[in-house]
Amino acid sequence: MTQQGQLSILTLKTADVLLLLLALFVTVVLNYAPSSTMNPVEYSLDFFATRIKLTNALLAAGLILSWNGFFRLRGLYRSHRLRLFSDEIKQVVEAVMLSAVALLFAAQIGKWKTIGLWEVTCFAFISISLCVGIRLISRVYLRILRRKGKFLKTLLIVGGGSRGERFARQIRARTDLGYKILGFIDSDAGYSHKRLAGSPWLGTVDDLPAIISREVIDDVAIALPIKSSYSQIRTVIELLEEQGVGIHLLSDFFPRQFAKCQALKFEGEPLTFFHSAPFFNWRTEVKRIIDLIGAVLLLIFLLPLLLIVAILIKLDSEGPVFFVQERVGYNKRRFGMIKFRTMVEDAEDRLKDIEHLNEKEGPIFKIRNDPRITRLGRFLRKSSIDELPQLINIVLGEMSLVGPRPLSSRDADKLEEAWHKRRFSVKPGMTCLWQISGRSELSFEKWMQLDLEYIDRWSLLLDWWILIKTIPAVIISRGAV
């Protein structure tokens, strides 16, 4: 680490401790000063004057050390040049929550009556805001300085192929990261007269010890193909470990069309996780909370309508109120999807008799004038009221408000294209892009493409947009059969 980097980390460590102390002080003042006869300034002075005792001072010192340890434990004092700010925010939240638990524990030992569960919650919220804020300011300030050529790190790239070329171009384009590419090395003689995004060839892998000895090198990026260069990669890593040089191993070893990768650790062993659906994170948690709250509120609000529909179904035709059909959900888990019954009681048994009338291509079965549909059922389908009981499936966690429509077991088993099955990598939903784009007016292929487009583009904002667009789509009954 450079001298400037060490100073920056020391400054950040000091700032974190001071901000946590400030958050604690603000929490106490906000919660207790208004009820005091003193103004906030007088209360603050009195608070420190009456509570600084030897026992409390020792306890506070231990608390400060533990806070610093939690922040180090979460990796907040490592270089963040190539890290996403969202990852750093997550680490701040985790470190602050551990610090809040330590504060609550210390308050019990020191019998600090002013620090309870509510105060600790306020402390955590204020601390997260302050610590994230200082890191945002730090990032912006450092990136401005790096664009001006300050606090630069020298980077050596090992590998002159397409992977190294691409990485070099990305680093060149991101001047705010503060990397100066010294050059690249590659044992292939064909690269000896090549420049890598403007950087010169410095020699072969065998020349690396001499290059390290004469040049200032902070980090090395290894961009060699793993299959043909395994022994060289191993040699380079062993040498760099001995020298204490930072190593970045470009791990895009396998071609990926959709999958995103995530670096993990298991029992100290590094893992790379590939997944072509949205990663489990705070956004997916928020989606589940919205699903749960939204479904419960809608069930309560729509209860009178649901009761009326149930009575009308019983009066219209023989059979149960609800139709429960096995559908294929998340990762091909089977579940019973609940709908209001819109067909005659033996509709499933009569399917084989009319399957030859199917009007849709692909594995799905759709006909406009299905003889199995009841008089009331046609209206329920047209208005999509028959779908409302699926709110129960959402509460049970089997479905979501927004997601690919769940296929029946019959239709899912007939899927032949492998890419169609990626739709099972997320929870099925009550509405989706297909629902607001024409429903039964669209071909089966277009339906599948829209489902995968939703998965690849997924965001909370996209979910809200689909929910809003669903309202007019339902009102005009576009594509409903």
Side-chain angles (χ1 to χ4, degrees), residues 49-111:
T50 57
R51 286 164 177 78
I52 297 180
K53 300 175 183 177
L54 179 60
T55 306
N56 285 345
L58 291 173
L59 196 56
L63 194 59
I64 290 171
L65 290 174
S66 71
W67 285 347
N68 178 263
F70 292 140
F71 274 67
R72 276 193 296 107
L73 183 66
R74 300 315 303 153
L76 285 163
Y77 301 131
R78 302 188 196 124
S79 174
H80 60 255
R81 290 182 190 235
L82 299 179
R83 282 186 3 210
L84 294 173
F85 188 49
S86 57
D87 292 337
E88 195 170 7
I89 292 175
K90 179 183 176 183
Q91 291 168 338
V92 168
V93 172
E94 292 171 347
V96 168
M97 296 309 293
L98 290 170
S99 301
V101 171
L103 174 61
L104 189 61
F105 186 67
Q108 300 303 312
I109 296 175
K111 297 181 180 178

Side-chain angles (χ1 to χ4, degrees), residues 332-391:
K332 303 183 188 68
R333 288 177 172 84
R334 309 291 171 119
F335 71 97
M337 191 185 79
I338 309 169
K339 298 178 68 173
F340 278 126
R341 182 175 58 82
T342 59
M343 292 187 175
V344 294
E345 191 173 5
D346 61 344
E348 291 288 278
D349 297 331
R350 291 171 57 181
L351 176 61
K352 59 181 180 297
D353 299 328
I354 59 171
E355 204 155 10
H356 65 283
L357 302 174
N358 190 10
E359 299 171 359
K360 302 296 290 184
E361 295 180 359
I364 57 173
F365 177 81
K366 292 279 184 184
I367 56 175
R368 289 193 175 274
N369 297 307
D370 195 322
R372 301 172 300 164
I373 299 177
T374 63
R375 291 172 300 172
L376 179 63
R378 199 166 300 281
F379 167 75
L380 295 179
R381 286 188 166 214
K382 202 79 173 173
S383 61
S384 297
I385 292 175
D386 64 318
E387 309 282 358
L388 293 179
Q390 290 162 41
L391 292 168

Side-chain angles (χ1 to χ4, degrees), residues 8-24:
S8 175
I9 293 299
L10 179 61
T11 303
L12 191 58
K13 286 181 178 180
T14 305
D16 282 335
V17 171
L18 292 177
L19 290 174
L20 289 176
L21 289 172
L22 176 62
L24 178 58

Side-chain angles (χ1 to χ4, degrees), residues 208-476:
L208 183 58
I211 295 171
I212 293 176
S213 66
R214 71 171 185 264
E215 301 285 354
V216 176
I217 299 175
D218 295 305
D219 289 344
V220 171
I222 302 175
L224 292 169
I226 190 169
K227 184 176 181 180
S228 59
S229 307
Y230 176 80
S231 60
Q232 289 187 61
I233 293 173
R234 181 174 178 178
T235 300
V236 170
I237 290 176
E238 289 175 350
L239 175 62
L240 296 175
E241 281 183 326
E242 289 176 352
Q243 299 282 338
V245 179
I247 307 167
H248 299 286
L249 178 63
L250 275 64
S251 56
D252 56 333
F253 302 131
F254 306 102
R256 294 176 286 118
Q257 286 184 296
F258 312 107
K260 305 174 186 71
C261 62
Q262 185 179 29
L264 303 172
K265 272 193 175 182
F266 174 71
E267 299 289 340
E269 292 294 325
L271 297 174
T272 302
F273 177 61
F274 295 94
H275 200 227
S276 56
F279 282 128
F280 178 81
N281 54 30
W282 68 269
R283 293 179 185 84
T284 55
E285 287 294 275
V286 170
K287 178 180 172 73
R288 175 56 186 152
I289 292 170
I290 292 172
D291 285 341
L292 189 58
I293 294 175
V296 170
L297 291 179
L298 283 171
L299 281 170
I300 295 171
F301 178 74
L302 296 172
L303 184 59
L305 173 63
L306 300 178
L307 291 174
I308 291 171
V309 172
I311 293 170
L312 291 176
I313 290 173
K314 292 300 290 183
L315 294 174
D316 182 61
S317 61
E318 292 183 0
V321 169
F322 298 110
F323 171 63
V324 181
Q325 185 183 46
E326 185 178 78
R327 297 282 177 123
V328 180
Y330 177 60
N331 282 345
K332 303 183 188 68
R333 288 177 172 84
R334 309 291 171 119
F335 71 97
M337 191 185 79
I338 309 169
K339 298 178 68 173
F340 278 126
R341 182 175 58 82
T342 59
M343 292 187 175
V344 294
E345 191 173 5
D346 61 344
E348 291 288 278
D349 297 331
R350 291 171 57 181
L351 176 61
K352 59 181 180 297
D353 299 328
I354 59 171
E355 204 155 10
H356 65 283
L357 302 174
N358 190 10
E359 299 171 359
K360 302 296 290 184
E361 295 180 359
I364 57 173
F365 177 81
K366 292 279 184 184
I367 56 175
R368 289 193 175 274
N369 297 307
D370 195 322
R372 301 172 300 164
I373 299 177
T374 63
R375 291 172 300 172
L376 179 63
R378 199 166 300 281
F379 167 75
L380 295 179
R381 286 188 166 214
K382 202 79 173 173
S383 61
S384 297
I385 292 175
D386 64 318
E387 309 282 358
L388 293 179
Q390 290 162 41
L391 292 168
I392 298 171
N393 292 115
I394 294 174
V395 173
L396 295 174
E398 297 163 336
M399 289 180 62
S400 177
L401 287 171
V402 183
R405 288 294 296 159
L407 293 178
S408 67
S409 298
R410 169 200 171 278
D411 294 347
D413 291 341
K414 289 188 175 184
L415 290 179
E416 296 178 353
E417 298 289 339
W419 65 271
H420 290 166
K421 298 177 183 179
R422 191 157 65 90
R423 70 192 310 280
F424 300 125
S425 63
V426 296
K427 277 186 185 179
M430 284 186 69
T431 185
C432 57
L433 286 174
W434 171 76
Q435 198 91 356
I436 63 174
S437 302
R439 298 166 71 176
S440 297
E441 294 177 0
L442 303 178
S443 67
F444 178 73
E445 286 296 303
K446 183 62 177 176
W447 176 8
M448 295 297 105
Q449 288 170 7
L450 287 171
D451 284 346
L452 299 191
E453 181 184 342
Y454 168 77
I455 294 171
D456 294 333
R457 288 175 50 203
W458 179 79
S459 69
L460 293 172
L461 190 61
L462 178 60
D463 275 4
W464 278 112
W465 181 78
I466 291 173
L467 286 171
I468 291 169
K469 295 282 285 185
T470 297
I471 297 171
V474 169
I475 291 174
I476 65 175

